[in-house]
Amino acid sequence: MRASFIPAGLLFLVITSQTLARPRQCRVISKGDGKDDAPALLAAVDNCGKGGTIILPSKNYTIAQPITTHLEHASLELHGFLSFTPNITYWVANSYRFPFQNQSISWHLTGHDFTVDGHKTGGVFGHGQTWYTWARGQGNLYGRPMSISITNATRGVVKNFNIIQPQFWSSLVWNSSEIVLRDFYVNATNFDTSANGSNWVQNTDGSDTYQSSNILYENWIYQGGDDCIAFKPNSTKIALRNISCFGGAGIAFGSIGQYPGELDIISDISIENVVTKPSMQNPMTAGAYFKSWIGVQVGLPPNGGGGGMGYCKNVTIRNLHTESTVPLSLTSNLSYSQLNQSYANTSTFLWDDIHFINISGSSATDRVIDFECSSKAPCKDWSFRDINLVPANNDNTDENYVCQNLNATGLDQCHG
Ligand SMILES: *[C@@H]1O[C@H](CO)[C@@H](O)[C@H](O)[C@H]1NC(C)=O
Ligand SMILES: *[C@@H]1O[C@H](CO)[C@@H](O)[C@H](O)[C@H]1NC(C)=O
Ligand SMILES: *[C@@H]1O[C@H](CO)[C@@H](O)[C@H](O)[C@H]1NC(C)=O
Ligand SMILES: *[C@@H]1O[C@H](CO)[C@@H](O)[C@H](O)[C@H]1NC(C)=O
Ligand SMILES: *[C@@H]1O[C@H](CO)[C@@H](O)[C@H](O)[C@H]1NC(C)=O
Ligand SMILES: *[C@@H]1O[C@H](CO)[C@@H](O)[C@H](O)[C@H]1NC(C)=O
Ligand SMILES: *[C@@H]1O[C@H](CO)[C@@H](O)[C@H](O)[C@H]1NC(C)=O
Ligand SMILES: *[C@@H]1O[C@H](CO)[C@@H](O)[C@H](O)[C@H]1NC(C)=O
Ligand SMILES: *[C@@H]1O[C@H](CO)[C@@H](O)[C@H](O)[C@H]1NC(C)=O
Ligand SMILES: *[C@@H]1O[C@H](CO)[C@@H](O)[C@H](O)[C@H]1NC(C)=O
Ligand SMILES: *[C@@H]1O[C@H](CO)[C@@H](O)[C@H](O)[C@H]1NC(C)=O
Ligand SMILES: *[C@@H]1O[C@H](CO)[C@@H](O)[C@H](O)[C@H]1NC(C)=O
């Protein structure tokens, strides 16, 4: 009855302001039949991407062109998949370019203060098999696009998100800060039997960070054949929590130092509760691995390079369980193509202030640790606590540990 005492004029004002405050909503229904849904999606983002909500209720949207979705104080509710078409000729010619390693991108997510929710039923379907069969295990083929890049973004959350059969790297965080990627499921599986057991899901990284800061990865499941999560140049303040990686290369620092004269930084990395194990399709090569390029330039990126400088500093890896080829490793002599002994020990990239706490598991070889730091920049201030790694020969001798140009505390076997 109280309401009856509110003067009519005030009631009118209340209703009006509620009407004005109601966020705009745009719904996009898939056209079906493989017709391109990108124009309708982009129109909805134009109409509702500032202060509104874009709802995609259908199961499957065809995306036949590169898309940039810009959101400000807005949310994108994706209940089904954005299926990127598998026309290789088209995408090689038309993907967005990513200057680092001359790579490509099919979807940019830009803006600030946004949420993208895949509701566990949606995300990206990359039609990756067409790309895996095309590449036949060859790395970094030009024009093969990453599924999604969070680019030029601040204060964004992407959650409950699947990336199935990614074309290339599943995701990238580029020139962005204060981004949360939570509850992700990524799966890159090869079904082409002519692979004969070789790894055709190379380059299907779970996620990479580049020129970004304040990024949280939480609750991830990754299956694939490459880096689960990798830190590329200028990745700072990154946290990983509860990440399970099946197959591929584990958590990667780098590669870094690939561009001559460039200063590359990785710093303030905190990693907790990670499991890495083989998948039914691919071995697991590491729990965590560190990879820097030689100190001189040999060839050009993506697969050649070197001569960069910089440092990785302030890293803690806690509660890592790994069943892998070599659980922890560092190489300072990257060049995938140029294995020439004379370039060893030329890297000046410094691995500094790196700590391992509670690392358990086993290796499929007699090596559990293989750290080959460069004599030009010996690894500095490393420490170990509660390390319980069992080599295949089940015989914990110095042979199981390689620690070149590295004196760590807390690990007797690692004394230079
Ligand atoms: C989604 O549509 C594409 C055609 O654009 C088709 O190739 C794909 O199989 C569909 N996916 C599902 C899960 O229906
Ligand atoms: C693939 O893309 C190319 C280049 O854009 C185009 O000419 C061709 O018709 C497309 N193929 C299919 C099957 O859509
Ligand atoms: C990237 O690769 C393409 C195709 O090989 C080549 O034409 C182009 O010059 C490369 N760009 C750079 C910057 O290396
Ligand atoms: C990111 O910002 C740069 C610099 O303003 C701009 O050139 C680029 O187009 C932006 N990228 C996207 C995807 O909007
Ligand atoms: C990075 O993103 C911001 C927007 O968040 C933009 O202003 C800036 O130009 C971008 N820088 C580069 C190098 O793209
Ligand atoms: C990934 O997909 C393959 C093929 O569908 C499936 O067998 C496997 O269990 C999946 N991996 C995970 C971790 O769910
Ligand atoms: C794949 O394996 C089959 C059976 O072992 C063999 O005959 C064939 O030559 C192999 N193909 C390749 C490309 O290695
Ligand atoms: C860890 O992540 C997995 C996969 O997303 C999830 O099922 C599980 O509940 C998470 N665990 C915790 C403690 O949050
Ligand atoms: C990384 O950051 C350093 C220091 O700010 C800067 O000099 C360098 O150009 C950056 N490199 C890249 C690849 O962004
Ligand atoms: C090291 O990184 C952590 C985040 O992982 C941060 O909280 C801490 O302040 C950093 N330490 C220094 C000395 O910067
Ligand atoms: C490069 O490092 C790897 C291990 O990280 C080692 O096995 C290899 O012999 C090194 N190669 C050269 C040329 O130094
Ligand atoms: C490690 O310690 C040994 C023995 O004290 C010393 O000879 C060596 O120079 C040290 N190496 C590094 C990289 O500090």
Side-chain angles (χ1 to χ4, degrees):
M1 285 303 107
R2 249 168 210 275
S4 61
F5 295 106
I6 297 174
L10 185 54
L11 194 59
F12 172 77
L13 268 178
V14 168
I15 291 167
T16 308
S17 66
Q18 275 176 354
T19 311
L20 288 175
R22 190 194 302 142
R24 274 189 301 167
Q25 283 197 355
C26 293
R27 288 168 72 85
V28 183
I29 306 296
S30 156
K31 287 194 178 117
D33 288 336
K35 293 201 192 82
D36 191 5
D37 291 306
L41 169 61
L42 295 174
V45 170
D46 263 359
N47 287 331
C48 292
K50 293 197 175 159
T53 304
I54 299 117
I55 303 174
L56 276 68
S58 308
K59 286 209 155 51
N60 191 14
Y61 295 82
T62 298
I63 303 297
Q65 57 185 277
I67 51 172
T68 297
T69 52
H70 184 83
L71 304 175
E72 298 184 8
H73 297 283
S75 72
L76 175 65
E77 306 290 327
L78 186 54
H79 294 271
F81 283 89
L82 299 188
S83 297
F84 287 78
T85 53
N87 184 334
I88 289 179
T89 321
Y90 172 80
W91 287 101
V92 168
N94 294 287
S95 295
Y96 296 121
R97 301 306 165 204
F98 174 50
F100 181 72
Q101 293 181 340
N102 199 11
Q103 294 179 356
S104 302
I105 290 168
S106 57
W107 176 12
H108 280 297
L109 174 60
T110 62
H112 59 86
D113 303 285
F114 59 75
T115 301
V116 173
D117 192 343
H119 294 273
K120 299 209 187 268
T121 53
V124 168
F125 179 74
H127 269 295
Q129 187 63 60
T130 307
W131 295 95
Y132 313 153
T133 295
W134 178 61
R136 303 180 79 80
Q138 249 184 290
N140 293 313
L141 283 185
Y142 176 74
R144 189 178 156 187
M146 301 169 202
S147 304
I148 179 171
S149 174
I150 298 168
T151 309
N152 297 358
T154 28
R155 295 180 305 277
V157 177
V158 183
K159 62 183 181 185
N160 304 321
F161 202 83
N162 301 291
I163 303 181
I164 309 295
Q165 301 295 81
Q167 308 94 310
F168 188 74
W169 294 359
S170 310
S171 63
L172 169 71
V173 180
W174 173 23
N175 184 40
S176 293
S177 61
E178 295 175 72
I179 305 295
V180 175
L181 300 98
R182 180 178 286 135
D183 297 310
F184 265 64
Y185 175 83
V186 175
N187 195 327
T189 299
N190 172 58
F191 293 99
D192 185 335
T193 52
S194 48
N196 260 7
S198 59
N199 181 9
W200 277 13
V201 285
Q202 200 186 30
N203 298 139
T204 58
D205 296 19
S207 198
D208 284 62
T209 56
Y210 183 70
Q211 297 174 330
S212 291
S213 191
N214 275 302
I215 313 298
L216 170 64
Y217 289 91
E218 195 167 41
N219 306 342
W220 275 59
I221 295 174
Y222 169 79
Q223 177 169 328
D226 217 308
D227 298 340
C228 185
I229 293 175
F231 314 113
K232 296 292 195 278
N234 292 1
S235 293
T236 62
K237 302 191 178 125
I238 318 274
L240 270 53
R241 306 272 179 262
N242 184 26
I243 312 287
S244 298
C245 313
F246 301 99
I251 307 299
F253 291 75
S255 68
I256 193 133
Q258 192 172 5
Y259 287 80
E262 192 80 59
L263 172 61
D264 288 347
I265 297 165
I266 300 176
S267 73
D268 308 323
I269 310 288
S270 156
I271 297 178
E272 232 172 71
N273 301 338
V274 173
V275 173
T276 84
K277 292 182 179 182
S279 70
M280 85 294 189
Q281 179 154 86
N282 277 304
M284 190 77 230
T285 58
Y289 82 128
F290 303 81
K291 41 177 181 171
S292 46
W293 283 75
I294 51 177
V296 294
Q297 187 190 358
V298 181
L300 293 172
N303 297 328
M309 54 197 172
Y311 58 85
C312 169
K313 192 173 164 59
N314 187 18
V315 173
T316 304
I317 302 180
R318 196 189 299 265
N319 308 339
L320 165 66
H321 180 82
T322 177
E323 293 164 20
S324 50
T325 316
V326 180
L328 301 173
S329 72
L330 183 148
T331 174
S332 55
N333 67 10
L334 270 194
S335 142
Y336 296 112
S337 51
Q338 193 83 26
L339 276 180
N340 180 330
Q341 196 64 46
S342 66
Y343 298 122
N345 291 313
T346 56
S347 173
T348 63
F349 188 89
L350 175 64
W351 300 98
D352 183 15
D353 192 11
I354 304 207
H355 311 280
F356 301 87
I357 303 163
N358 189 23
I359 313 293
S360 64
S362 57
S363 77
T365 62
D366 292 344
R367 282 280 147 79
V368 296
I369 280 180
D370 189 351
F371 294 135
E372 302 191 22
C373 306
S374 167
S375 60
K376 272 238 175 82
C379 291
K380 192 167 147 262
D381 292 334
W382 287 43
S383 77
F384 294 87
R385 199 199 308 161
D386 302 326
I387 308 300
N388 180 18
L389 292 168
V390 182
N393 66 2
N394 200 18
D395 163 30
N396 261 339
T397 65
D398 286 8
E399 299 306 302
N400 304 124
Y401 298 80
V402 172
C403 286
Q404 282 172 13
N405 303 306
L406 162 63
N407 288 336
T409 60
L411 194 66
D412 288 345
Q413 296 93 336
C414 210
H415 45 54

